[in-house]
Amino acid sequence: MQLDFGTVNEEAAVARQFNLLEEHACRIRPVELGRCFGKLELYSAPGDTELPMSENNVNIRLKKMPRTLEGVDKTSIIEVGVNLDIVTNQGVGFYIVRNDDGSVLP
């Protein structure tokens, strides 16, 4: 059996597993996010930009991911995947603060 990869865009992939991603975030950071389940917003950054993002690089803009997309339920689960981190609820989790449009705060 041969699989074709790259048939789902990032918005569809996130929307297909939005609930899983949100639940995972709330479970690994229950103190900060536990009461926010159902209200979290997810954003996407360009690949390999973790360090520039942490340095508030003004040239990198985040893209808000939709919670739902019409027809996303028809997307095969084999077409999307997620690699979740295993962490403890100790210390402060990594986060950045941006405007709603994904730009750096003034």
Side-chain angles (χ1 to χ4, degrees):
M1 178 169 132
Q2 184 173 355
L3 299 175
D4 293 323
F5 294 100
T7 60
V8 178
N9 64 31
E10 63 183 312
E11 290 89 351
V14 171
R16 181 70 167 96
Q17 294 193 341
F18 198 99
N19 190 66
L20 173 69
L21 297 167
E22 184 176 36
E23 183 177 348
H24 179 68
C26 291
R27 286 180 182 263
I28 64 170
R29 303 305 299 185
V31 174
E32 298 92 341
L33 301 176
R35 295 183 184 165
C36 298
F37 185 79
K39 298 179 257 180
L40 291 183
E41 295 176 343
L42 300 179
Y43 289 79
S44 172
D48 199 27
T49 59
E50 291 85 357
L51 182 59
M53 289 296 299
S54 70
E55 296 169 338
N56 268 336
N57 184 321
V58 297
N59 297 316
I60 301 173
R61 185 164 289 212
L62 298 176
K63 181 165 50 169
K64 187 174 182 180
M65 295 289 103
R67 183 175 287 273
T68 60
L69 281 176
E70 187 173 332
V72 76
D73 55 324
K74 294 181 176 88
T75 301
S76 171
I77 201 69
I78 200 168
E79 293 290 325
V80 297
V82 63
N83 185 10
L84 303 174
D85 289 335
I86 298 173
V87 298
T88 62
N89 195 34
Q90 297 177 2
V92 177
F94 174 78
Y95 66 93
I96 58 171
V97 179
R98 295 288 179 113
N99 289 319
D100 287 340
D101 68 356
S103 62
V104 174
L105 294 170

